[in-house]
Amino acid sequence: MAGDGIAASAILTGFAAPMQSADRPTRLDLVSPMLIITGSDDNYVPGVLVLIASAAFHNPQARFAVLDMGIKAENRARIDRLARRLGIEIRRHEVSDGCFDHLTIKRAHLSRSTYLRLLIPDMFPDEERVIYMDCDMVVMGDLSPLDRVDLGDSFVGAVPCPSPDPVEVAACGHDTGTYVNAGLLVMNLPLWREEKLAERCIALLTDPSRPLLSEDQSAVNILARGRILHLDLAYNTYSDPSSYDRVEDFPHPPVVLHYVVNNKPWNIPIPLADIWNFHAAQIADLMPPRKKLTLRRRLSLWNRDRKLVMGRTMRRHKYRNRDQVIQAMRRIEADYIAIATRGASLRGRMSPAGEPQAGSLA
């Protein structure tokens, strides 16, 4: 990053949440900048681009890697152009489309690319710690605490799922508050390699006597049980208002937003989509064309809105609480965009003319 640049994370200090484990000792022997890894097939390229752009906006010194499972040539070029635009390192690692043909997928919104995180320990033999992030996330603040937190003998640091399926939680031997979402994992790679955790996860996933609804996420929860460091909820905040029973449960403010299940902001209008759209707009010329909404999707959105209106009309407690969460989301969204817009403008003015600085989205 140019010496005269302003880090957006300094401008957006209000959008950085503390770790729950803030009293733990930190790593002081960092050799390389933190490495953020994501994975995708061709369908999630918009998410990959915005995840990296938003993470670099707040963490301009970070390195990035993309596990590429069938990304088309024109979209690979978009990722490579993004690296040059931001002046950051983005390494692409191509993975065979048939790599996980022997593994099944039960949830309709997923593809086999969900298993890519299990390849990380062997694909990055020189790394001791990485931050894995799903490509349907957007970063709103500083991620460096994740790179400093002491993992001890934990395989991963992860955020407990705010609304897990109780049947799946029980099947994994967890309680509701201990079952974690695998969308963001701070991975302790020496332990993964030493105890062959990835291989054991794959073996579990191929065991017909242990069907798992949430695939590799549940496999990690089972095999790493008791050795998972729970991170603050702000580092994996769901965009779905129904995930939070009370407004007090919604992290204020988030550091990482997760557009879970079918709620993808590049496909449909959803809560907190404007934060994703803000970062997408900064790299608009690199983004793939948006697909038009299908009739089925339009009907699904109409039915969602119909249920919400009926719930409000009947003054049901669940919908009143959901309205409060939605209002909190809107306030956070408006505040973030206002501050981030000023931050982007300041950084653009301080960059040499015609030369985007590292981490700049201008």
Side-chain angles (χ1 to χ4, degrees), residues 68-121:
D68 170 355
M69 194 173 188
I71 297 176
K72 293 179 180 177
E74 60 267 33
N75 285 329
R76 288 174 176 169
R78 296 178 196 275
I79 295 171
D80 295 342
R81 287 175 59 200
L82 180 66
R84 294 193 295 271
R85 171 77 58 84
L86 302 186
I88 59 175
E89 174 187 322
I90 306 177
R91 289 182 286 163
R92 280 192 305 99
H93 300 261
E94 296 180 22
V95 179
S96 168
D97 287 354
C99 184
F100 299 115
D101 280 352
H102 60 299
L103 300 180
T104 59
I105 291 290
K106 297 181 178 66
R107 292 176 291 172
H109 68 284
L110 291 180
S111 68
R112 284 184 172 83
S113 62
T114 187
Y115 297 121
L116 286 170
R117 62 194 129 202
L118 298 179
L119 301 179
I120 291 173

Side-chain angles (χ1 to χ4, degrees), residues 174-219:
H174 278 260
D175 298 321
T176 298
T178 64
Y179 181 92
V180 297
N181 180 271
L184 184 146
L185 298 175
V186 184
M187 302 177 70
N188 190 342
L189 296 185
L191 276 183
W192 278 67
R193 298 185 195 105
E194 180 183 341
E195 303 194 26
K196 301 186 182 302
L197 186 64
E199 293 92 327
R200 290 161 55 203
C201 284
I202 291 174
L204 181 59
L205 290 164
T206 56
D207 183 354
S209 68
R210 295 289 299 273
L212 300 173
L213 176 63
S214 295
E215 288 93 15
D216 59 319
Q217 173 174 284
S218 286

Side-chain angles (χ1 to χ4, degrees), residues 24-299:
R24 289 177 172 268
T26 58
R27 292 194 308 157
L28 300 177
D29 58 339
L30 297 179
V31 176
S32 300
M34 65 179 161
L35 175 58
I36 299 171
I37 301 178
T38 190
S40 178
D41 56 23
D42 200 61
N43 295 313
Y44 279 69
V45 169
V48 170
L49 293 168
V50 171
L51 169 65
I52 294 175
S54 64
F57 186 84
H58 298 284
N59 305 270
Q61 303 301 332
R63 299 173 293 147
F64 298 89
V66 177
L67 305 185
D68 170 355
M69 194 173 188
I71 297 176
K72 293 179 180 177
E74 60 267 33
N75 285 329
R76 288 174 176 169
R78 296 178 196 275
I79 295 171
D80 295 342
R81 287 175 59 200
L82 180 66
R84 294 193 295 271
R85 171 77 58 84
L86 302 186
I88 59 175
E89 174 187 322
I90 306 177
R91 289 182 286 163
R92 280 192 305 99
H93 300 261
E94 296 180 22
V95 179
S96 168
D97 287 354
C99 184
F100 299 115
D101 280 352
H102 60 299
L103 300 180
T104 59
I105 291 290
K106 297 181 178 66
R107 292 176 291 172
H109 68 284
L110 291 180
S111 68
R112 284 184 172 83
S113 62
T114 187
Y115 297 121
L116 286 170
R117 62 194 129 202
L118 298 179
L119 301 179
I120 291 173
D122 288 337
M123 290 187 70
F124 297 85
D126 296 328
E127 302 291 341
E128 293 191 0
R129 169 187 305 226
V130 302
I131 302 171
Y132 167 82
M133 299 182 73
D134 278 353
C135 57
D136 55 356
M137 290 179 153
V138 67
V139 178
M140 297 174 60
D142 182 15
L143 297 178
S144 62
L146 299 179
D147 203 42
R148 296 195 303 267
V149 66
D150 180 16
L151 292 173
D153 66 347
S154 297
F155 287 109
V156 295
V159 174
C161 179
S163 56
D165 182 291
V167 175
E168 188 74 355
V169 170
C172 294
H174 278 260
D175 298 321
T176 298
T178 64
Y179 181 92
V180 297
N181 180 271
L184 184 146
L185 298 175
V186 184
M187 302 177 70
N188 190 342
L189 296 185
L191 276 183
W192 278 67
R193 298 185 195 105
E194 180 183 341
E195 303 194 26
K196 301 186 182 302
L197 186 64
E199 293 92 327
R200 290 161 55 203
C201 284
I202 291 174
L204 181 59
L205 290 164
T206 56
D207 183 354
S209 68
R210 295 289 299 273
L212 300 173
L213 176 63
S214 295
E215 288 93 15
D216 59 319
Q217 173 174 284
S218 286
V220 170
N221 271 278
I222 290 170
L223 296 174
R225 186 175 58 198
R227 298 174 69 184
I228 299 174
L229 175 66
H230 290 162
L231 305 176
D232 193 282
L233 298 179
Y235 288 97
N236 190 345
T237 302
Y238 289 11
S239 67
D240 183 0
S242 65
S243 299
Y244 301 94
D245 293 332
R246 306 173 305 155
V247 69
E248 294 82 5
D249 298 330
F250 182 76
H252 292 68
V255 179
V256 177
L257 283 179
H258 192 177
Y259 299 97
V260 292
V261 196
N262 290 318
N263 302 313
K264 309 307 179 194
W266 59 89
N267 288 335
I268 59 174
I270 55 172
L272 296 169
D274 283 351
I275 293 175
W276 191 93
N277 289 329
F278 167 82
H279 287 284
Q282 309 304 307
I283 53 169
D285 61 311
L286 300 182
M287 296 294 290
R290 293 205 182 199
K291 298 177 181 178
K292 292 184 178 180
L293 287 178
T294 63
L295 177 59
R296 181 177 180 181
R297 180 64 73 186
R298 290 177 187 274
L299 289 173

Side-chain angles (χ1 to χ4, degrees), residues 241 245-248 250 252 312 317-331:
D245 293 332
R246 306 173 305 155
V247 69
E248 294 82 5
F250 182 76
H252 292 68
R312 288 168 175 163
H317 181 72
K318 177 177 74 172
Y319 288 96
R320 184 168 64 250
N321 287 347
R322 189 172 302 177
D323 271 348
Q324 292 175 350
V325 174
I326 291 173
Q327 291 303 318
M329 287 179 167
R330 287 174 177 167
R331 288 192 295 270

